[in-house]
Each structure stands twice: as structure tokens, then as C-alpha cells.
């Protein structure tokens, strides 16, 4: 079988290596629009539970990821000058460049042909020549665009503005840092790594007041360094062709058409505030490879892949949408008491409830209960 993967991100690389590993006689080629070693973004986050799935799917790449990743359990929320730490949130992170390099190396060990600096201009032409096309070309997928009618593609733009930065400031936990200044409310989403990731977002009103779009990159970096000075410990924000944007929610009525299939952000996006984008892409790749292991033909395998993966990804996407709306409407919740804000924030997506938080972090919930009792009974 001749397999072409459009897009050399984590999902596309992982799907390609898994298919080649299971089917050594297949010709598997990955086309990546960027030159080798060129990527954008900083770190990526994976929940620790994903490790067992990676270990079962491919031992060597799992070992390389495990050896490279930084692990932690706490989640830190900074609100009104106070830190609220919640335990029991097991995650790991690694630099996007490191993940890509180790997946590229594993692909080449298995005989996957990696072609860099080669954008696919017309996915329909590729589909006509290949037996199977994997559209793994991200949130702005050309594959999805070329087959938009067949996939029933739909995108919705959020209103919050955000951009990704790095910093050499150290963080020992996934952190959400809220700071209010004269222009409005800012939030930094940070997580550890050799270089810490530092995503900054703000609601539409704050963005309009700050007028960052009228400032040079040097000027808006200096502005943000001042906003988050108490948390950067004198370190700078590092820019990597960062662009301010709004978040695009991607949905498709179908992820497959004939011999073309979508995975990762090309098929569905999950807001960065729940940290599941790369996880979903890697698990899509596992689901696709498993479907081919159990089905003999392309049509049946793609149908099994979508029916197996769609309920999981849609559940995560619903949670991510609730989280996205929480950040877009953050002014509604500012002014809540500290521990009240903290528990509300941790349960914003619906994936965690009061009861599950009580099991995961009884000390935090007990603090909330004490506050609630004092407020309502006092």
C-alpha cells in the first residue's frame, strides 16, 4: 500500500511510524511544509496516563519520550496575589522540538520516508495517486480545505486573544497566573521544561484597551514582562515568530472521504487551556493503526477508526469548549473569593467535579468547605 501523510507534526509522524511498524512492506511518506528542524511553538503537555498507551503502541518511541519528559503533579493558580496549589494532577511536558526529533528518528528507523520543505499544493492530486492519505496538517489544514464539502467542515472563531512565548523562568508546576492591570485581566498558562512555556491570553475588552496590535514586538514583550514581573523573576519572554490570534474550533461531520482521513487538529481542535491537543493527535494515530490491524481494507479501517475515536474526541472537545468560554467570560468570575475562584476554575470544563476534586485534593476542598460554612452560616 502507498500511504501519504500530509503534515509532519506529532500526530502525522506517530501515525506513519505505527502503520509502517505494523506493515513493513507499505510505502509510507510524510510531507512536511517546513524545513527539517524548523517548528513553531514551545512545550507540549501530556497526561501521565497517556504513557501506558504509548508504551503499548511502540516501545522505542515511548522510552524516548519518557526519558525526555519533565513530570509534575501540582497545579498552581495565582489569583489576587495569592497562590492556590492543587495536588493530584499528573502531567508531563517536553519541548515540541524534542518530540518531533525523536518521532522523526523513529520513523526513519522503520523506513518511513520524510520529505521536508515540501508543502502539498493540491491534496486531491495526492489522493488520486495514493492508496491512503492521512490529513495531519493541523488547524489550518489544506487537506480539510480541499475536501471541505465532503468532510462537512466547520470552524468557529473565539474572541479571546492569545500568543505563545517561552521563558527561562522556572516553574515547577502547570500554572495559571491571573493579573489585573489598568487595561484589564491577563492570564499566563505556564508549564515546566528546559525552556518554560508561557502562553498569554486576555479577553476581547482587555485586548482592545491594551492596543497590543499597535505596538512593535519589542514593545508588547516589554509590556507583558511588566504585567507578569512578579512571576518572571527578572527573566525575559522569548518570542518565536509568535502571532496573536483567536482560537479556532474545528469540527467535521465526517473525518474520512474515500481514501482520505483526518486526524489531530485537522479533524478536531481542543482549546489549549485543557492541554489535550497533542494527546488527542497521538491517540488518534493509535486508533488509526489499531483499525488497520483489525480491518483488511481502507474503507472498513477508516470507518472503524472514526467510530472508535469520535466519541472520545467529542467528549474532550465539549470540555475544551466550556473551558474556552470560561476564559472568554473571565470577568464574570473575577471578584470571587480566592478559594471559591480556585475550585470554580479547576472544575470549569466539567471533567472534574466537586466530588472528584474532594478525592483528588481533599485539603483544597476542605478549605473551600470551611470558607463556605463561614460565609453562609456566619
Amino acid at each position: 500500500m502507498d500511504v501519504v501523510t500530509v503534515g509532519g507534526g506529532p500526530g502525522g509522524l506517530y501515525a506513519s511510524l505505527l502503520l509502517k511498524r505494523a506493515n513493513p512492506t507499505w510505502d509510507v511518506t510524510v510531507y512536511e511544509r517546513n524545513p527539517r528542524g524548523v517548528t513553531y511553538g514551545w512545550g507540549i503537555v501530556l497526561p501521565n496516563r497517556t504513557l501506558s498507551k504509548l508504551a503499548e503502541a511502540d516501545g522505542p518511541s515511548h522510552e524516548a519520550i519518557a526519558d525526555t519528559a519533565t513530570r509534575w503533579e501540582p497545579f498552581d493558580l495565582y489569583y489576587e496575589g495569592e497562590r492556590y496549589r492543587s495536588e493530584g494532577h499528573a502531567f508531563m511536558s517536553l519541548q515540541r522540538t524534542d518530540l518531533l526529533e525523536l518521532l522523526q528518528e523513529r520513523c526513519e528507523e522503520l523506513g518511513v520516508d520524510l520529505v521536508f520543505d515540501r508543502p502539498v499544493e493540491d491534496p486531491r492530486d495526492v489522493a488520486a495517486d495514493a492508496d491512503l492519505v492521512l490529513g495531519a496538517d493541523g488547524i489550518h489544514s489544506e487537506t480539510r480545505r480541499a475536501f471541505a464539502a465532503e468532510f462537512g467542515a466547520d470552524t468557529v472563531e473565539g474572541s479571546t486573544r492569545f500568543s505563545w512565548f517561552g521563558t527561562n523562568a522556572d516553574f515547577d508546576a502547570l500554572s495559571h497566573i491571573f493579573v489585573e492591570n489598568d487595561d484589564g485581566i491577563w492570564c499566563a498558562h505556564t508549564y515546566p521544561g528546559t525552556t518554560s512555556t508561557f502562553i498569554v491570553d486576555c479577553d476581547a475588552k482587555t485586548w482592545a484597551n491594551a492596543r497590543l496590535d499597535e505596538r512593535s514586538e519589542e514593545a508588547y514583550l516589554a509590556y507583558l514582562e511588566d504585567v507578569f514581573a512578579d512571576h518572571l523573576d527578572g527573566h525575559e519572554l522569548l518570542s518565536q515568530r509568535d502571532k496573536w490570534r483567536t482560537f479556532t474550533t474545528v469540527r467535521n461531520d465526517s473525518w474520512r472521504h474515500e481514501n482520505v482521513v483526518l486526524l489531530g487538529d485537522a479533524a478536531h481542535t481542543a482549546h489549549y487551556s485543557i492541554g489535550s491537543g497533542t494527546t488527542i493527535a497521538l491517540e488518534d494515530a493509535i486508533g488509526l493503526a489499531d483499525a488497520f490491524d483489525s480491518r483488511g481494507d481502507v474503507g472498513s479501517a477508516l470507518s472503524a477508526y472514526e467510530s472508535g475515536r469520535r466519541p472520545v474526541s467529542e467528549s474532550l472537545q465539549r470540555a475544551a469548549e466550556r473551558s474556552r468560554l470560561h476564559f472568554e467570560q473571565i470577568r464574570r468570575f473575577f471578584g470571587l473569593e480566592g478559594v471559591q475562584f480556585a475550585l470554580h476554575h479547576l472544575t470549569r470544563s466539567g471533567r472534574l467535579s466537586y466530588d472528584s476534586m474532594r478525592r483528588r485534593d481533599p485539603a483544597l476542598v476542605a478549605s473551600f468547605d470551611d470558607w463556605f460554612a463561614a460565609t453562609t452560616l456566619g
Side-chain angles (χ1 to χ4, degrees):
M1 181 136 60
D2 182 17
V3 180
V4 173
T5 301
V6 183
L13 290 170
Y14 200 53
S16 299
L17 75 85
L18 292 180
L19 289 175
K20 183 67 174 178
R21 179 177 181 266
N23 307 278
T25 62
W26 289 9
D27 293 323
V28 182
T29 304
V30 178
Y31 290 101
E32 167 55 39
R33 66 170 53 250
N34 291 319
R36 187 165 195 151
V38 174
T39 188
Y40 305 105
W42 298 91
I44 59 95
V45 173
L46 300 171
N48 277 3
R49 60 177 171 76
T50 301
L51 270 181
S52 60
K53 297 179 181 180
L54 299 180
E56 185 176 347
D58 181 60
S61 58
H62 158 262
E63 184 176 349
I65 290 171
D67 289 345
T68 305
T70 301
R71 292 179 179 81
W72 72 91
E73 280 205 6
F75 169 80
D76 284 343
L77 175 68
Y78 294 86
Y79 173 68
E80 294 188 334
E82 299 291 334
R83 185 187 77 170
Y84 299 87
R85 169 159 285 194
S86 178
E87 302 288 351
H89 308 270
F91 285 94
M92 60 181 175
S93 64
L94 65 164
Q95 298 300 109
R96 180 177 172 84
T97 51
D98 291 339
L99 179 59
L100 291 176
E101 286 174 6
L102 65 89
L103 291 178
Q104 289 162 5
E105 291 173 4
R106 181 61 175 148
C107 278
E108 290 174 330
E109 287 176 3
L110 293 167
V112 175
D113 187 15
L114 303 181
V115 182
F116 294 93
D117 203 13
R118 181 77 66 82
V120 172
E121 302 294 345
D122 192 342
R124 287 186 177 272
D125 287 345
V126 175
D129 294 333
D131 298 305
L132 173 65
V133 177
L134 311 185
D137 43 349
I139 196 167
H140 303 297
S141 170
E142 289 295 334
T143 309
R144 186 182 66 243
R145 185 176 293 114
F147 294 93
E150 291 86 348
F151 291 135
D154 181 49
T155 59
V156 177
E157 292 294 328
S159 63
T160 298
R161 294 280 180 167
F162 74 99
S163 191
W164 294 64
F165 305 99
T167 181
N168 290 320
D170 289 330
F171 297 92
D172 60 358
L174 174 65
S175 304
H176 287 176
I177 303 168
F178 287 95
V179 177
E180 187 172 18
N181 69 358
D182 290 343
D183 289 324
I185 300 167
W186 301 90
C187 182
H189 308 238
T190 78
Y191 37 91
T194 51
T195 300
S196 298
T197 297
F198 201 94
I199 307 167
V200 177
D201 66 30
C202 63
D203 64 7
K205 186 174 181 180
T206 302
W207 172 257
N209 290 343
R211 301 168 69 175
L212 292 193
D213 56 328
E214 300 177 16
R215 303 174 190 247
S216 66
E217 183 180 63
E218 181 181 5
Y220 72 64
L221 287 174
Y223 175 95
L224 294 173
E225 288 164 0
D226 181 65
V227 170
F228 295 104
D230 290 343
H231 305 276
L232 289 170
D233 294 328
H235 291 281
E236 297 177 337
L237 290 180
L238 306 175
S239 177
Q240 191 185 69
R241 291 183 61 181
D242 300 285
K243 295 181 179 179
W244 290 91
R245 70 199 92 169
T246 58
F247 185 80
T248 304
T249 300
V250 173
R251 297 185 181 89
N252 291 276
D253 293 336
S254 175
W255 299 352
R256 67 194 193 280
H257 171 66
E258 296 179 347
N259 64 331
V260 182
V261 65
L262 301 175
L263 69 153
D265 282 351
H268 43 69
T269 56
H271 193 257
Y272 55 86
S273 60
I274 69 166
S276 291
T278 303
T279 299
I280 298 174
L282 295 176
E283 293 183 356
D284 278 356
I286 294 171
L288 182 64
D290 287 348
F292 272 96
D293 282 345
S294 59
R295 300 295 192 279
D297 65 280
V298 170
S300 296
L302 297 188
S303 178
Y305 155 70
E306 181 169 356
S307 63
R309 286 295 301 156
R310 182 179 280 276
V312 177
S313 68
E314 287 184 345
S315 176
L316 282 170
Q317 193 170 54
R318 286 192 296 270
E321 281 295 277
R322 288 190 289 268
S323 186
R324 177 182 69 83
L325 292 172
H326 172 88
F327 281 93
E328 290 188 356
Q329 301 167 9
I330 196 64
R331 290 171 186 268
R332 291 178 54 197
F333 315 115
F334 246 63
L336 295 180
E337 292 293 329
V339 71
Q340 181 188 23
F341 183 91
L343 191 61
H344 180 269
H345 189 74
L346 284 162
T347 57
R348 68 191 181 278
S349 72
R351 297 173 72 189
L352 292 173
S353 65
Y354 172 88
D355 287 334
S356 61
M357 279 300 303
R358 184 167 54 184
R359 292 189 295 270
R360 178 175 293 202
D361 190 348
L364 178 68
V365 175
S367 178
F368 170 81
D369 289 345
D370 290 343
W371 166 82
F372 185 79
T375 301
T376 56
L377 300 177

